Amino acid sequence: MLELREVNLELGMPTVQTALSQLALELRRTRSMGCTALKIIHGYGSSGKGGKIRVQARSRLAKMKGAGEIRDVIPGEEFSIFNSATLAAFRRCGALRKDPDLERHNNGVTIVLL
């Protein structure tokens, strides 16, 4: 069984609304596949303060976590073995231990636990 999926929301340079629709679709698809985690690539943007897709996707995911629709959200910059949420995520999805963005403090990704 596949534990972890990866989705690139910035592929093709979509609008924010298109990317958020894709996020919703990919969350449903990931859950239906029985995966326990989804790695979202949303980019950081060229403005130096975060791209619109990154900001809106993370905002949407925070609301979903608050509503109990997803278990947890780990921003890429916090995806570290020194982060308690990451350690808990390893127990749920062992494949995250081998993810190339672990310890990279990558602002352009977010890990979602389902």
Side-chain angles (χ1 to χ4, degrees):
M1 176 175 72
L2 185 66
E3 286 184 297
L4 174 66
R5 284 189 71 225
E6 181 176 300
V7 173
N8 187 341
L9 292 183
E10 64 177 358
L11 190 65
M13 299 177 59
T15 64
V16 172
Q17 193 56 47
T18 299
L20 292 177
S21 294
Q22 184 70 24
L23 173 61
L25 173 70
E26 296 299 346
L27 285 167
R28 286 191 303 274
R29 185 175 289 155
T30 301
R31 186 172 275 125
S32 73
M33 293 172 68
C35 298
T36 54
L38 175 64
K39 177 179 172 181
I40 300 166
I41 300 168
H42 45 60
Y44 182 67
S46 58
S47 67
K49 58 186 176 189
K52 292 177 183 176
I53 292 173
R54 173 187 178 264
V55 170
Q56 292 298 314
R58 286 186 174 182
S59 175
R60 174 78 50 91
L61 292 167
K63 289 176 186 172
M64 292 177 76
K65 179 182 175 185
E69 297 173 41
I70 57 177
R71 288 180 187 263
D72 206 357
V73 178
I74 304 170
E77 59 271 23
E78 296 176 17
F79 188 44
S80 164
I81 61 169
F82 301 106
N83 177 289
S84 60
T86 300
L87 296 176
F90 288 165
R91 290 189 290 277
R92 182 133 178 90
C93 178
L96 287 170
R97 292 180 185 273
K98 296 179 181 177
D99 190 273
D101 283 308
L102 181 63
E103 299 298 342
R104 290 189 58 206
H105 309 287
N106 186 343
N107 288 328
V109 303
T110 298
I111 307 297
V112 180
L113 296 176
L114 303 170

